[in-house]
Amino acid sequence: LYSIVSALAQKASIPMPRVYIMENDSPNAFATGRSPAHSVVAVTTGILRILSREELEGVLAHEISHIRHRDILIQTVAATLAGAITMIANWARFAAFFGGGSSDDDEGGGNIFTVIIFSMFAAFAAMLIQLAISRSREYLADDGGARLSGNPLYLAGALKKLNIGVARNPMNDANPSTAPLFIVNPFSAKGVLALFSTHPPIEERIRRLEDMAYRR
């Protein structure tokens, strides 16, 4: 594990990240850190058990790509802005309820209704923007990781195994706020919940990687 991370970091021209292993049967991995000089790569014991060396290299290349592109900083800024917009929208909604006019005033009541609808829309739009940024960075990390490892099929094969592994053994003890960090959604979102997942559909990620491999 250490030698793979070291080789990929050297190839990506970034400082060697700190490497951690999480005692968890759910197969997953993540990278974090505010900059390449303060970065961390972590994998679970579950992922080490099910992936080949080449597949593990594909996963780690994906995480190194996140570090190289400063995706953690980008997602942190996006989350902060989304949170600020949501907070302002909530304040506007409460102000409309408690200080926006009397219920027997038609114009005042209409203004309150408009503020409430707009604040709800703003909060929802902020969430969608954050999800879109998170998904786009995953696609970019897949692309960058495939190029870094030298073979897109390494990561494609890993994602197939991770998709099955997380469905069988989701990381139920994880904090939902950490979900965007992981290479695959640790909660195995399905159905309507998948629409609000921080990760793009894993089938689409695999298809893109396989297309990249066949175009080479």
Side-chain angles (χ1 to χ4, degrees), residues 76-153:
T76 299
V77 171
T80 301
L81 291 176
I85 293 172
T86 301
M87 186 180 299
I88 293 172
N90 288 336
W91 285 346
R93 190 158 59 247
F94 287 131
F97 272 124
F98 298 110
S102 60
S103 59
D104 58 350
D105 186 287
D106 291 339
E107 184 177 350
N111 289 337
I112 293 172
F113 182 75
T114 301
V115 169
I116 292 173
I117 294 297
F118 179 78
S119 64
M120 292 174 63
F121 175 79
F124 185 69
M127 180 190 69
L128 291 181
I129 291 171
Q130 184 183 359
L131 291 177
I133 292 174
S134 179
R135 293 183 179 195
S136 68
R137 302 315 294 184
E138 286 300 314
Y139 281 133
L140 289 173
D142 284 348
D143 183 83
R147 298 178 190 280
L148 195 59
S149 69
N151 191 333
L153 295 181

Side-chain angles (χ1 to χ4, degrees), residues 6-7 14 31 38 47 59 75 84 98 112-113 129 132 143 153 157-158 181 189 193-195 203 206-207:
S6 178
I14 65 169
H38 302 86
I47 201 173
V59 167
Q75 291 185 9
F98 298 110
I112 293 172
F113 182 75
I129 291 171
D143 183 83
L153 295 181
L181 293 176
L193 292 178
L195 297 176
E203 296 82 6
I206 293 169
R207 185 193 66 78

